[in-house]
Amino acid sequence: MKGIIFALLGGAFITLQGVANARISQDIGTWQAATITQLTGFIVAFIILMFVKERGEWKKFKQVNPLYMLGGAFAAIIIFSNVTAIQHIGVTLSISAIMIAQLSITFIIDINGWFGLDRKKMRAPQFIGIGLMIAGVVILGF
Amino acid sequence: MMLGLIMAIIAGSLVGIQNIFNSKVSERAGSWPTTTLVLAMGFLASLTMGLIFEGKELFNLENMKLWYWFSGLIGVGVVTCMVRGIRLLGPTYSIMIVMTAQLAFALLWDSLGWLGLDKVPFTSKQLIGVLVIVGGIIVFKIGGRPEKQKASVKV
């Protein structure tokens, strides 16, 4: 039950984040919104980090491929495109298209075993699932 | 319409790749150090892009409202809930619920037009569209795929 509540809240927060960014962008500009949300998020995460057991673990960053450590930088483009999408096509259609793209790219990476992931076989349910989701977006958008 | 969809597809693809990269980092360094690093990188990248496209105008925050300063907290909430949800339910079911909740709240938001966004009226077409997508998520997530899927889930 607790897990379900966390998952529900997680989903609600993801949507809220997109909406809040879109709202803030209207007032102060998209790059400004991205810079401020990432900066304040960083400050809070850093403060929390100081109080958790894991705090010494950052030394292990040295063992990580530097490419993977740059992942966070995508946020600038993610926030910009997310905000632009919400302003043009609304929250529901944006979130739907984002989810489909996300599942599809993850699926393609899994199949090919890119980035050192275990290769996975393609299965019918995943194609049917993506097909259904695209059908849903078509119903929403047209 | 097309521009909005293309932007959404770019955002979603980058989120997918970022999740994989982040989970690679957190395998070694733990979740809070990773979250902190991810947000630091996001800040530096946004600052750089902002300076390239807007120069000094980036620091013109005339219409800033107090709560905007706290919006970054939402991201911390996302990470905390996702990590705990995945730990308690496993990746498959938690992601399924997360995605369904995302859509349900999106629908709610569009139809209420909260926070001054354009209202998108709630119609049966929208409800059917969302239900079909949720059906797709369920088929995708529990349709005979091996449980091992960690790499694709962390936000």
Side-chain angles (χ1 to χ4, degrees):
Chain A
M1 194 57 208
K2 233 169 107 189
I4 296 175
I5 293 169
F6 277 120
L8 284 173
L9 272 176
F13 279 144
I14 294 175
T15 299
L16 178 64
Q17 195 173 35
V19 174
N21 285 337
R23 172 72 198 122
I24 298 171
S25 298
Q26 275 178 3
D27 275 2
I28 61 172
T30 310
W31 296 115
Q32 285 84 347
T35 307
I36 285 172
T37 51
Q38 298 290 297
L39 175 63
T40 51
F42 163 71
I43 292 169
V44 173
F46 186 78
I47 292 168
I48 294 172
L49 178 64
M50 292 295 112
F51 291 95
V52 293
K53 270 182 277 169
E54 283 176 332
R55 68 176 174 273
E57 301 281 294
W58 62 269
K59 290 185 192 109
K60 295 190 185 149
F61 282 151
K62 278 183 221 142
Q63 303 170 9
V64 180
N65 180 341
L67 171 71
Y68 299 141
M69 293 174 53
L70 289 175
F74 292 163
I77 300 162
I78 293 170
I79 294 172
F80 184 84
S81 4
N82 191 3
V83 164
T84 313
I86 289 178
Q87 286 170 348
H88 280 81
I89 57 177
V91 188
T92 311
L93 196 49
S94 300
I95 298 264
S96 312
I98 287 170
M99 281 185 349
I100 293 171
Q102 188 187 336
L103 283 175
S104 305
I105 196 100
T106 312
F107 192 47
I108 292 169
I109 292 171
D110 273 346
I111 287 168
N112 293 296
W114 288 335
F115 305 121
L117 295 179
D118 295 335
R119 235 171 148 143
K120 293 199 187 94
K121 286 219 175 87
M122 298 186 225
R123 284 168 194 267
Q126 277 69 54
F127 287 108
I128 298 168
I130 290 178
L132 270 175
M133 285 185 257
I134 293 171
V137 165
V138 172
I139 296 172
L140 273 179
F142 302 95
Chain B
M1 174 87 190
M2 234 28 234
L3 175 71
L5 277 179
I6 290 167
M7 284 294 175
I9 290 167
I10 292 173
S13 310
L14 287 176
V15 170
I17 298 172
Q18 198 197 38
N19 286 344
I20 290 171
F21 285 14
N22 293 354
S23 73
K24 290 266 177 194
V25 179
S26 73
E27 274 169 22
R28 298 278 166 117
S31 68
W32 280 109
T34 306
T35 305
T36 312
L37 173 78
V38 166
L39 288 162
M41 288 293 173
F43 164 65
L44 291 175
S46 306
L47 185 71
T48 310
M49 296 291 266
L51 285 172
I52 292 170
F53 288 109
E54 306 207 0
K56 275 190 202 144
E57 272 301 293
L58 182 69
F59 302 106
N60 176 9
L61 301 175
E62 254 171 51
N63 297 314
M64 191 72 187
K65 294 198 181 94
L66 184 66
W67 73 266
Y68 296 174
W69 290 110
F70 297 94
S71 59
L73 284 171
I74 304 169
V76 179
V78 172
V79 176
T80 314
C81 290
M82 297 287 290
V83 169
R84 303 205 56 180
I86 289 168
R87 207 173 289 157
L88 290 162
L89 296 174
T92 307
Y93 288 100
S94 54
I95 296 303
M96 222 169 72
I97 297 170
V98 166
M99 290 187 153
T100 308
Q102 260 178 279
L103 280 172
F105 278 93
L107 209 52
L108 188 70
W109 222 286
D110 268 340
S111 46
L112 295 173
W114 282 342
L115 291 180
L117 294 182
D118 291 337
K119 234 177 181 170
V120 181
F122 184 81
T123 57
S124 57
K125 191 184 83 167
Q126 274 199 309
L127 182 65
I128 294 167
V130 166
L131 289 177
V132 172
I133 296 172
V134 171
I137 295 170
I138 294 172
V139 173
F140 186 96
K141 283 291 174 189
I142 54 182
R145 198 169 185 211
E147 186 63 11
K148 197 167 166 283
Q149 225 189 355
K150 279 231 168 73
S152 57
V153 293
K154 276 200 188 139
V155 165

